[in-house]
Amino acid sequence: MFQMIQKSFWEQVRKFNSLAGISIIITIVVALAATIDRGGYLLVNTIVTGGMLALVSMGLALTLGVLNIPMFAHGEFFMIGTLVGYYVFNAISAYVGSHPESSLVFWGPMLTIVAAMIIGAVAGVITELLIFRQLRKRSRENWVMNAFLLTVGLSVVLVNGHQLFFGADFKGIVGYYSGPSLAIMDVYISRDRVFALIVAAVVVALFWFFMTYTRTGRAIRAVSQDETGALIVGIGLNGILMLTMSLSCALAAIAGAGLLFMYPSYPSIGLEPLYMAWFVVILAGLGNVLGAVMCSFMVALLKVLTIEYIGSGWDFVVPSILIILILIFKPSGIFGSEVRGVLDK
Amino acid sequence: MLLEVKKLNAGYGYLQILRDVSLNVDTGEYVCLVGPNGAGKSTTLKTIAGLLSPTSGEILFDGEPIGGLPGNKVTRKGISLVSEDMNLFVNMSVEENLAMGAYIIRDKKAKKKQLEFVYDLFPRLAERSGQLAGTMSGGERKMLAIGRGLMANPQLLLVDEPSFGLAPQLTENVFQSLDVLVKKGLTIMLVEQNVTKTLEVTDRGYVLENGSIELSGKSSDLADNPHVRKVFLGV
């Protein structure tokens, strides 16, 4: 027993000796140093941005790892989330305005998130059924390239669809929760940020639990690791692929609705989260879902620090440089890829 | 008759591999399919297991047609394939791999019973239950692949090249475990390159050449057949 504990302890240490472990430690140290230097709001910003980024990039990593699709329309599912959030929350606000005692004051924002999640999931199912299943049926030759082009096309259609039906103006809300900011030590955090943080934490935790312990979650991982193996043990591919797509779109939509108080809805709102999520996915190693969660926080920290120390125009430049360096020196990402990458197949 | 294959034609795209292959396997039998490289042995197994669709012909399992069903449905009917490249889930532990093998079994007790059965058959896997499948040696992975196939409690186990890439000692172990399974009443269809050994252990055999069945009969008779001796044993 003691030996086993000792053994697993050393395994953990060895894990932290790897590139992934080193980068996690560096991230934590840098985050702490910056916090001491400039104040706790940096840490809060990093965690809120990172949490939401994790939702988007987990979905992206999942589509890449399981469906083998380099998804460039993922930001548009974020956009769908913001749109659903805007309309649902406005309806709820209107109702709350005339019934100020209603319990919707508290539950309204959560309802909004759930609505965005459901619509996002439905959008994912439709995308899979109408686009990728059709492509899969017709040809699996040159799959990665064809799927990539389709996602770019889908992105254009969705962005312009938004503009056509909902207009190109900013559709934002004042905030989910009114009331004074919460103070932790001497850091003031707006209630909305706390809300976004809790949503992100709960969803990431649920998602991790789902992927690790449930039969269906394991089946998704099995498909990502070996499609033929999954078929052999009796996993129905079509169902799993559809579920994965809807799951990853739902995650993006949750992030969209969760950040609505910061980013109003407009047609090309999805571009920034898409790029950031790609940074994360490349950094983590293509298709590595749990690594993507870690790397989301790293990229968020990098972004927050860049804005803080260099200036707010640079927050895309620095991560881009990092990505170029990674692609040159460690193309498999710092966490290695848990699943086959896009190019293996 | 547990498995009946009638005039099966199959291949990849326009490339036809199998030509009118007919064979059958009875319950409890240990049947082998031997033949030179590229004869279509693996293709035959893949087509039976539903990984390839036949272009024509019939596959009956327990009297029910299963030709053209996708692989997951065939597994649900009671056929497990242990493929040549094993197709393990390399980033899952041994135990998780075995759990995935029992994916079609919903009953927890039945799952546990299967797991105990597999661990009993391969104590090595029990020792390594927490290890990632991708980090195991070739022999252990072979055991895991067979174990995973058994987890679904199949009526028919299709085993593709169990000795491929293994040291002689390990090959011997794998053959022994297959023997044990047959004695326990499992029906096995084995594809092997190691013709001498295979014809020694199996009951009946088919010789596949250029995608069609050339010879069939009792394994001991096949081992004495002059054609087999000339082509495979070089005698």
Side-chain angles (χ1 to χ4, degrees):
Chain A
M1 186 66 197
F2 176 70
Q3 263 182 341
M4 262 174 70
I5 293 171
Q6 206 179 19
K7 202 177 146 203
S8 75
F9 172 75
W10 281 113
E11 264 164 25
Q12 292 300 321
V13 171
R14 215 165 298 134
K15 233 183 238 169
F16 269 96
N17 223 341
S18 66
L19 193 52
I22 291 169
S23 29
I24 289 174
I25 291 170
I26 291 178
T27 310
I28 293 171
V29 169
V30 169
L32 288 179
T35 306
I36 292 164
D37 188 33
R38 293 290 171 102
Y41 67 95
L42 278 186
L43 200 60
V44 174
N45 276 352
T46 305
I47 293 176
V48 172
T49 322
M52 283 298 165
L53 189 53
L55 296 187
V56 182
S57 42
M58 274 186 331
L60 196 63
L62 208 58
T63 2
L64 198 59
V66 179
L67 291 102
N68 213 20
I69 298 172
M71 186 69 159
F72 274 81
H74 207 58
E76 274 52 67
F77 294 100
F78 181 93
M79 177 268 279
I80 287 173
T82 60
L83 208 54
V84 173
Y86 173 75
Y87 283 108
V88 171
F89 191 68
N90 269 354
I92 289 175
S93 306
Y95 178 80
V96 167
S98 52
H99 304 78
E101 298 309 313
S102 156
S103 62
L104 276 180
V105 174
F106 181 72
W107 293 107
M110 289 174 207
L111 211 62
T112 309
I113 301 282
V114 171
M117 182 184 86
I118 293 170
I119 302 287
V122 171
V125 170
I126 294 172
T127 310
E128 160 68 14
L129 288 184
L130 284 188
I131 300 177
F132 297 112
R133 182 164 299 178
Q134 306 308 322
L135 178 61
R136 212 173 284 121
K137 251 190 244 166
R138 278 166 180 74
S139 123
R140 299 208 68 160
E141 238 169 87
N142 221 345
W143 165 264
V144 172
M145 191 56 173
N146 289 341
F148 160 71
L149 291 173
L150 270 178
T151 67
V152 174
L154 178 66
S155 161
V156 173
V157 168
L158 288 177
V159 168
N160 289 290
H162 180 141
Q163 193 158 350
L164 182 63
F165 293 112
F166 302 99
D169 47 340
F170 288 83
K171 294 172 277 288
I173 59 169
V174 180
Y176 279 127
Y177 289 101
S178 51
S181 298
L182 303 176
I184 302 170
M185 313 281 266
D186 54 347
V187 186
Y188 288 90
I189 316 170
S190 78
R191 285 166 185 251
D192 282 353
R193 281 181 186 240
V194 176
F195 172 64
L197 182 61
I198 293 174
V199 168
V202 168
V203 173
V204 170
L206 282 179
F207 180 76
W208 176 79
F209 180 84
F210 171 74
M211 290 296 279
T212 318
Y213 293 108
T214 66
R215 182 171 175 268
T216 316
R218 277 180 168 177
I220 291 179
R221 280 165 59 214
V223 172
S224 81
Q225 288 174 29
D226 198 314
E227 232 176 77
T228 310
L231 263 181
I232 289 175
V233 300
I235 297 170
L237 276 186
N238 279 342
I240 291 294
L241 296 182
M242 192 168 81
L243 179 73
T244 309
M245 191 56 138
S246 90
L247 204 61
S248 75
C249 293
L251 287 172
I254 291 174
L259 286 178
L260 187 59
F261 66 93
M262 280 166 82
Y263 303 107
S265 182
Y266 60 94
S268 58
I269 175 78
L271 218 52
E272 187 185 335
L274 175 73
Y275 288 161
M276 292 316 275
W278 270 104
F279 289 163
V280 169
V281 168
I282 292 171
L283 188 67
L286 300 174
N288 184 339
V289 176
L290 294 178
V293 177
M294 290 294 178
C295 287
S296 297
F297 289 98
M298 291 182 196
V299 169
L301 179 72
L302 199 64
K303 205 179 151 183
V304 168
L305 289 187
T306 314
I307 293 174
E308 178 68 25
Y309 288 96
I310 304 179
S312 62
W314 292 87
D315 56 333
F316 259 109
V317 180
V318 174
S320 310
I321 292 172
L322 183 73
I323 295 311
I324 291 170
L325 290 179
I326 285 173
L327 286 177
I328 293 172
F329 293 108
K330 187 88 174 62
S332 61
I334 54 176
F335 281 77
S337 192
E338 189 180 286
V339 296
R340 56 169 163 64
V342 264
L343 300 174
D344 297 352
K345 203 161 153 187
Chain B
M1 214 39 84
L2 188 62
L3 178 76
E4 272 179 276
V5 176
K6 292 177 189 161
K7 300 222 164 218
L8 186 67
N9 286 283
Y12 304 89
Y14 293 110
L15 181 67
Q16 191 180 3
I17 308 265
L18 301 183
R19 295 183 179 81
D20 289 337
V21 170
S22 299
L23 51 85
N24 49 58
V25 181
D26 217 345
T27 312
E29 259 190 321
Y30 192 2
V31 177
C32 71
L33 187 61
V34 292
N37 270 334
K41 297 169 301 204
S42 293
T43 310
T44 311
L45 286 198
K46 277 187 194 164
T47 314
I48 296 172
L51 299 181
L52 277 178
S53 318
T55 42
S56 71
E58 255 190 306
I59 307 174
L60 297 174
F61 184 66
D62 242 353
E64 225 182 312
I66 57 161
L69 283 184
N72 58 317
K73 298 234 168 88
V74 174
T75 307
R76 278 165 203 275
K77 301 269 179 208
I79 300 181
S80 273
L81 170 71
V82 178
S83 58
E84 191 178 5
D85 32 14
M86 295 178 275
N87 296 103
L88 294 174
F89 307 123
V90 287
N91 276 300
M92 289 190 188
S93 67
V94 169
E95 188 137 358
E96 275 180 306
N97 264 284
L98 292 175
M100 288 315 303
Y103 183 79
I104 57 169
I105 301 178
R106 292 277 190 164
D107 181 20
K108 279 205 172 130
K109 265 189 203 154
K111 251 186 201 181
K112 209 171 162 216
K113 210 181 115 203
Q114 282 308 114
L115 189 65
E116 273 164 16
F117 172 69
V118 171
Y119 277 166
D120 215 37
L121 186 69
F122 300 113
R124 187 97 180 134
L125 293 182
E127 284 167 32
R128 303 260 159 149
S129 62
Q131 196 177 338
L132 291 186
T135 63
M136 298 207 303
S137 73
E140 288 164 346
R141 267 187 282 174
K142 213 55 143 196
M143 286 178 199
L144 182 55
I146 296 173
R148 192 183 67 179
L150 291 172
M151 285 298 289
N153 199 6
Q155 285 174 272
L156 171 65
L157 190 68
L158 307 172
V159 187
D160 197 355
E161 303 274 358
S163 76
F164 182 76
L166 290 191
Q169 178 59 44
L170 290 170
T171 309
E172 197 59 37
N173 288 349
V174 170
F175 272 111
Q176 271 168 13
S177 8
L178 291 180
D179 258 355
V180 171
L181 289 170
V182 170
K183 291 217 173 75
K184 287 194 170 161
L186 185 68
T187 316
I188 296 183
M189 185 162 164
L190 178 68
V191 158
E192 251 299 328
Q193 298 220 334
N194 186 343
V195 179
T196 327
K197 178 76 197 164
T198 309
L199 291 178
E200 247 171 59
V201 295
T202 51
D203 306 330
R204 219 153 52 75
Y206 290 92
V207 178
L208 196 63
E209 274 175 61
N210 287 325
S212 45
I213 302 279
E214 288 292 315
L215 283 168
S216 66
K218 276 192 167 170
S219 295
S220 47
D221 294 347
L222 284 179
D224 292 334
N225 184 292
H227 178 70
V228 173
R229 288 174 71 86
K230 192 173 157 224
V231 174
F232 299 110
L233 310 177
V235 188

